[in-house]
Amino acid sequence: MPRVVSLFLPSWSTDRTRRAHGEAAPAPETPLVLAGREGNRRIVLAADGAAKTAGLRVGMPLAKAQILAPGLIVQNADAKADAKALDRLAVWTLQRYAPMVAADYPDGIVIESTGADHLHGGEAAMLAGLVGRLAASGFAAKAAVADTLGAAHALARYAARPTLIATLGHGTAILAPLPLEALRLPDALSSELYRLGFERIGDVLAQPRAPLTLRFGPELVRRIEQALGERAEPIEPIRPPDMIEARRAFAEPIAAAETIARAIAHLTSQLCKALELKGLGARRLDLLCRRIDNQAVAVRVGLAAPSHDARRITRLFCDKIETIDPGFGIEVMTLAATVAEPLAPKQTVSPLGEAAAADICDLVDTLANRVGERAIYRIAPVASDAPERSIRHIPALAPETGATWSPHWPRPARLFPRPERIETVALLPDHPPAVFTWRGVRRRVRRADGPERLFGEWWKREVELCAVRDYFRIEDESGARYWIFRSGDGEDAATGSQRWFLHGIFG
């Protein structure tokens, strides 16, 4: 069953206006509205959160809004610029999250996430990451994922806080308590339904559809059927004009895996030739299969390094043929290089010269496309006294930076993301524990080395101004070695809680 993400940007126009003005933009707490003309008068077309808090609303005369909020900032609305900016955001989403993305004007984006969410750690992680990245850029956002575009659209606008994940096969129960506007009905139709006593979607769903069509026309029933998945609502993915792609239409629909594999090989060869002519290598590729029932199936493949090797790309796509549901047949296939980077020619190593370095690109690409890009990475050092801040994840094939950890004090091979509390018997302030209990198991210490004293990074966090940790390397009677620390110097309570924690395990 397909899964659809609806991304809602409630203050898209005003947030974009603030960002477009850069440093000249008003402070976030200053009310901001966008004004336009309706006949001979100027009205509010969009308002940010501060303006709504001040009592302003869309459709209000601008003169009245300026009276209610004396410090109001007024900008002229630019619907065309907003639509172009939304298209750019949709392309950004396409390149990073899923192969099928479309702008949902005027303030949303639709993402067909089927088969792509696992690359980002699951639906919850994908939505949280998407909303978080937009928030960091100054855009308020809410998102929901559901079985249909109509349901996701409704949940994102009327139920997400700020994200919501509907269970697979959720049915009508999740839509029933939402207001009528969630069905994407025209304002006049919603007003008429309210006058007749309908308040929620559940009130409409309880009525026979034939009388509804006779009384209100086909629009109401069409929106209901789209929200419930009874009527198809295909997503037309956005395609930037500079994207390199290859397309093939079939005289007869294809469905067999062998035929699909041959078509993929043909498209890959055609695409890689185009990439090579432009001196580019693909980093992310999308295969879109348009079926005869007007449904689209998408497959995404990522590469650890730019490449236009047709054989490698074909093999990666063929590994995913089992995820392609051809339905009653595929009539059009399109292969696009969603992300491409410059790829300079390389000198082939001569058999008479030195041996070529081992190439692990194939292995990295295979693993990354099976378990997700985030699961394949390397560890790089970071200049920090705090152990949990001294490492970062970098791409598996990222170039070497030359940075290394200090060899004076060894660090454990396995460092916990969060130190785990342990119970100890120890002499204060400078002695390691003689016995400690971790995860319910009591361990007697046979050897110990330390302490290594680390101070807090007061220039990053004020609460670390006096913070101290004393680290010890210890070995228990079974030979296992641990990295533990005491929070504090063992004497002054201002330096820490004086409790003991286990932070890592040596190999």
Side-chain angles (χ1 to χ4, degrees):
M1 180 178 290
R3 297 286 277 176
V4 181
V5 175
S6 178
L7 178 66
F8 174 44
L9 303 155
S11 303
W12 169 246
S13 298
T14 53
D15 288 347
R16 191 193 68 82
T17 300
R18 288 184 185 274
R19 186 176 176 85
H21 282 74
E23 295 182 358
E29 64 273 8
T30 305
L32 170 68
V33 299
L34 301 183
R37 289 199 171 274
E38 184 182 74
N40 294 326
R41 63 174 187 163
R42 297 191 73 193
I43 64 171
V44 175
L45 296 182
D48 68 355
K52 293 177 181 177
T53 302
L56 310 186
R57 57 179 176 79
V58 175
M60 174 184 290
L62 181 60
K64 182 178 180 181
Q66 290 174 319
I67 294 173
L68 293 175
L72 182 65
I73 303 297
V74 180
Q75 299 284 350
N76 291 325
D78 190 344
K80 292 183 179 180
D82 288 344
K84 290 181 179 179
L86 193 64
D87 285 340
R88 291 195 297 270
L89 182 60
V91 171
W92 175 85
T93 308
L94 168 71
Q95 294 173 340
R96 288 163 176 80
Y97 287 94
M100 294 184 64
V101 177
D104 186 9
Y105 305 106
D107 53 11
I109 289 176
V110 179
I111 307 169
E112 170 74 67
S113 63
T114 308
D117 57 283
H118 76 282
L119 299 175
H120 307 281
E123 292 178 339
M126 181 178 68
L127 293 189
L130 179 57
V131 171
R133 294 181 73 170
L134 289 172
S137 300
F139 295 102
K142 299 194 295 182
V145 58
D147 295 341
T148 65
L149 192 160
H153 184 280
L155 295 171
R157 284 154 178 78
Y158 296 95
R161 300 290 186 274
T163 62
L164 188 149
I165 300 176
T167 56
L168 190 66
H170 50 74
T172 63
I174 199 168
L175 297 173
L178 302 181
L180 296 174
E181 292 85 355
L183 286 175
R184 298 175 289 171
L185 301 175
D187 293 339
L189 180 53
S190 297
S191 300
E192 188 175 356
L193 288 167
Y194 278 121
R195 284 198 301 269
L196 294 176
F198 297 99
E199 295 183 356
R200 304 290 174 184
I201 294 179
D203 300 335
V204 178
L205 295 178
Q207 303 300 317
R209 296 186 187 177
L212 289 177
T213 304
L214 184 63
R215 176 66 177 83
F216 302 104
E219 180 68 9
L220 175 59
V221 173
R222 182 174 73 90
R223 288 304 192 185
I224 291 175
E225 292 176 348
Q226 287 176 342
L228 300 181
E230 298 171 1
R231 180 178 298 198
E233 190 175 6
I235 297 173
E236 191 62 36
I238 191 169
R239 282 291 179 266
D242 58 343
M243 181 180 292
I244 301 175
E245 58 183 8
R247 182 177 183 273
R248 186 176 185 184
F250 304 100
E252 294 290 337
I254 64 173
E258 296 80 3
T259 310
I260 294 175
R262 287 195 296 269
I264 289 174
H266 176 81
L267 289 172
T268 303
S269 176
Q270 184 179 344
L271 181 72
C272 288
K273 289 179 182 178
L275 288 169
E276 188 173 3
L277 288 175
K278 293 191 175 184
L280 299 174
R283 284 295 306 275
R284 186 166 290 117
L285 301 106
D286 294 334
L287 177 68
L288 299 183
C289 305
R290 182 70 65 178
R291 307 188 316 196
I292 60 175
D293 60 358
N294 204 30
Q295 294 293 318
V297 180
V299 177
R300 166 159 287 188
V301 160
L303 301 175
S307 174
H308 46 60
D309 185 342
R311 294 183 63 183
R312 178 193 299 180
I313 295 172
T314 299
R315 180 178 56 79
L316 292 175
F317 274 112
C318 288
D319 287 345
K320 293 193 172 187
I321 284 182
E322 61 183 15
T323 66
I324 300 176
D325 179 11
F328 294 105
I330 298 171
E331 57 182 0
V332 179
M333 294 178 67
T334 305
L335 180 63
T338 310
V339 178
E341 297 176 359
L343 180 62
K346 290 184 178 180
Q347 176 67 43
T348 303
V349 178
S350 170
L352 301 178
E354 61 183 13
D359 186 2
I360 62 171
C361 288
D362 280 347
L363 175 62
V364 173
D365 291 340
T366 300
L367 294 176
N369 284 283
R370 287 182 180 177
V371 301
E373 296 178 0
R374 294 186 179 183
I376 310 298
Y377 56 84
R378 294 204 338 262
I379 298 294
V382 177
S384 176
D385 286 338
E388 57 266 37
R389 301 179 195 144
S390 63
I391 62 173
R392 64 187 177 96
H393 295 175
I394 61 175
L397 298 183
E400 294 290 344
T401 61
T404 58
W405 285 280
S406 173
H408 301 297
W409 291 94
R411 294 293 184 257
R414 180 187 175 193
L415 187 70
F416 296 161
R418 294 179 179 273
E420 298 188 13
R421 176 77 187 280
I422 58 176
E423 299 295 334
T424 64
V425 176
L427 294 175
L428 295 179
D430 297 326
H431 292 271
V435 177
F436 72 96
T437 303
W438 175 52
R439 295 182 178 177
V441 179
R442 184 180 175 89
R443 296 170 171 86
R444 184 173 296 277
V445 177
R446 185 171 63 177
R447 295 186 180 90
D449 185 20
E452 175 192 359
R453 177 158 291 184
L454 299 180
F455 294 91
E457 297 178 333
W458 53 266
W459 59 93
K460 292 183 178 180
R461 298 177 62 191
E462 188 175 350
V463 295
E464 296 183 17
L465 182 62
C466 301
V468 172
R469 289 182 183 176
D470 283 342
Y471 278 87
F472 294 86
R473 285 181 292 151
I474 64 174
E475 180 180 319
D476 66 9
E477 293 179 326
S478 67
R481 294 186 298 148
Y482 306 92
W483 203 41
I484 67 174
F485 72 88
R486 181 185 59 238
S487 176
D489 59 6
E491 296 177 340
D492 187 357
T495 60
S497 64
Q498 313 305 324
R499 295 176 178 174
W500 290 85
F501 298 86
L502 193 150
H503 205 164
I505 300 176
F506 290 91

